[in-house]
Amino acid sequence: MDREQALKIVKEQITDHRYVHTLGVVETAVWLAEKYGADVKKAELAAIFHDYAKFRPKQEMAKIIKEQQMDPRLLSFHSELWHAPVGAYLVRKEAGIEDEEVLDAIRFHTSGRTGMTLLEQVVYLADYIEPGRHFPGVDEVRQMAEEDGLQAAVIQAVKNTIHFLMKKNQPIFPDTFDTYNDLVTNKEEQH
Ligand code: DGI
Ligand code: FE
Ligand code: FE
């Protein structure tokens, strides 16, 4: 599927504000993919579709999580986490995207996971640092993405997310902690 076709499909699913965010993620994901040697076309496609399910009713998402036997723990955590795995499912079903690497980058764009691929890290980080994001710490992560390597920047982004959630007394989804532990543990081995 080409870029224009994909953007047209996504535009119908999300608000104008979220569409502008999506364009920012696309631009950033392409830049990161080029810089760090990920597949640029896959990064572009995953970025275009990453928030596809963001505005689906919670009930519909919960039903899909149960019926498709996704991680049942999702249902006891914040519904903000649901649009990522549900998005991967719906993007295959409704937009016909079959590439497993692209679907995994969508599936894990909110929580991350252990053993994140280069492509998954690119999309995760692009979502965090796209130009429309304005929150404390984002400039530091942007600079790290420029200078310190992909993995160092992803670690900082996960760390900030955990801090942010803890400050709000929100529970942390286990995959989010697992992502942090895994990346910190493997820091020396990967680049
Ligand atoms: O969809 P976006 O807003 O572009 O970004 P996202 O997919 O990274 O979702 C961010 C939201 O997900 C944000 O409100 C925080 C929430 N979130 C991320 N990780 C966790 C989480 N919420 C909980 N409760 N636990 C997590 O581990
Ligand atoms: Fe998202
Ligand atoms: Fe997003």
Side-chain angles (χ1 to χ4, degrees):
M1 182 176 308
D2 71 27
R3 179 193 169 100
E4 295 316 311
Q5 245 182 312
L7 284 171
K8 194 162 167 267
I9 292 170
V10 163
K11 200 171 194 312
E12 285 168 16
Q13 295 288 325
I14 56 182
T15 60
D16 289 351
H17 181 261
R18 183 61 36 179
Y19 186 70
V20 172
H21 159 70
T22 295
L23 294 177
V25 178
V26 173
E27 176 196 321
T28 309
V30 166
W31 170 67
L32 288 171
E34 283 168 351
K35 183 171 167 67
Y36 291 110
D39 186 311
V40 176
K41 280 287 146 202
K42 290 186 187 202
E44 181 178 55
L45 200 58
I48 291 173
F49 282 112
H50 84 283
D51 276 340
Y52 181 87
K54 189 84 179 174
F55 299 100
R56 291 294 168 119
K58 278 185 206 167
Q59 260 195 343
E60 183 191 346
M61 291 197 283
K63 190 163 177 270
I64 290 170
I65 289 168
K66 287 178 208 149
E67 283 179 2
Q68 299 304 314
Q69 296 172 19
M70 294 172 184
D71 187 342
R73 298 173 308 177
L74 283 164
L75 296 167
S76 345
F77 285 84
H78 203 289
S79 56
E80 270 295 323
L81 290 156
W82 301 354
H83 73 285
V86 169
Y89 170 75
L90 291 175
V91 161
R92 183 203 288 276
K93 189 161 165 260
E94 297 178 1
I97 303 297
E98 300 276 352
D99 188 309
E100 295 295 342
E101 291 172 17
V102 171
L103 294 173
D104 279 345
I106 298 167
R107 184 171 291 122
F108 300 110
H109 87 264
T110 303
S111 63
R113 63 157 162 173
T114 58
M116 282 178 92
T117 64
L118 193 58
L119 187 70
E120 287 164 22
Q121 293 188 43
V122 160
V123 174
Y124 183 95
L125 185 60
D127 190 26
Y128 193 85
I129 63 169
E130 65 92 0
R133 295 288 207 198
H134 302 283
F135 41 73
V138 71
D139 278 334
E140 185 191 2
V141 180
R142 287 188 180 117
Q143 195 182 339
M144 291 177 83
E146 292 264 7
E147 295 171 9
D148 301 336
L150 183 64
Q151 188 159 323
V154 173
I155 289 172
Q156 192 61 42
V158 180
K159 215 175 185 174
N160 289 355
T161 299
I162 292 171
H163 274 145
F164 168 77
L165 292 167
M166 289 183 85
K167 256 188 234 155
K168 294 202 305 174
N169 290 319
Q170 286 240 17
I172 314 290
F173 189 56
D175 286 8
T176 305
F177 274 137
D178 288 345
T179 304
Y180 173 79
N181 288 336
D182 182 57
L183 290 171
V184 167
T185 307
N186 296 319
K187 206 172 173 181
E188 271 88 58
E189 295 157 38
Q190 298 170 12
H191 286 281

